[in-house]
Amino acid sequence: DAGVTQSPTHLIKTRGQQVTLRCSPKSGHDTVSWYQQALGQGPQFIFQYYEEEERQRGNFPDRFSGHQFPNYSSELNVNALLLGDSALYLCASTYGPWETQYFGPGTRLLVL
Amino acid sequence: AQSVTQLDSQVPVFEEAPVELRCNYSSSVSVYLFWYVQYPNQGLQLLLKYLSGSTLVKGINGFEAEFNKSQTSFHLRKPSVHISDTAEYFCAVSGGSNYKLTFGKGTLLTVNP
């Protein structure tokens, strides 16, 4: 049984560019959440998608947007990248918004 | 709003010694509590969770935690650690109208031979 998968594993961008990160949830899961983990910090909640809608959003600017597809996979888009967007981006999936979240390995984004 | 405080940023211990990683939380509603472990260059792995019921929760790899509502704590313990337990440990809380997990800043456990 495949767990949560994310792609790519690593990414290097320059300031002002746009990036798209992808997440496939664990089999049977229908809810995807995204987190940003800066170096030396705990993960910070970006948003959660359920039934293809944004269910809850954390304290992140509108440059961060997302999408959930009918097969429950999800994308995180970040526009106008800043140096401070450099972080590990984690995707977590659950069956329903309230269940235990299971995390993928993350995408490490470096903005130069 | 919910918050989590992990009282120790680093905990060094010797192999086969007991360890306790401390976590305090703040919430105005009933909570669900979690401990996750993160090995270098990896994602988060669930160690254990408290949803309801018994306040002593057992998890994987010999870890356990006790929910103490009066002290708003959820400390993680292991009676005898191994070198392979060296990792970053995160305490997290959710509940009420919050689907999200709110994490602490993490505790780096280093097990020395």
Side-chain angles (χ1 to χ4, degrees), chain A residues 35 37 55-56 98 100-101, chain B residues 36 38 49 96 98-99 101:
Chain A
Y35 292 80
Q37 185 180 17
R55 181 60 65 98
Q56 188 175 11
W98 286 113
T100 301
Q101 297 187 26
Chain B
Y36 285 86
Q38 186 174 38
K49 59 186 177 184
N98 269 324
Y99 302 118
L101 288 168

Side-chain angles (χ1 to χ4, degrees), chain A residues 85-102:
Chain A
D85 295 332
S86 295
L88 180 67
Y89 288 85
L90 295 164
C91 170
S93 75
T94 65
Y95 176 65
W98 286 113
E99 298 300 314
T100 301
Q101 297 187 26
Y102 292 89

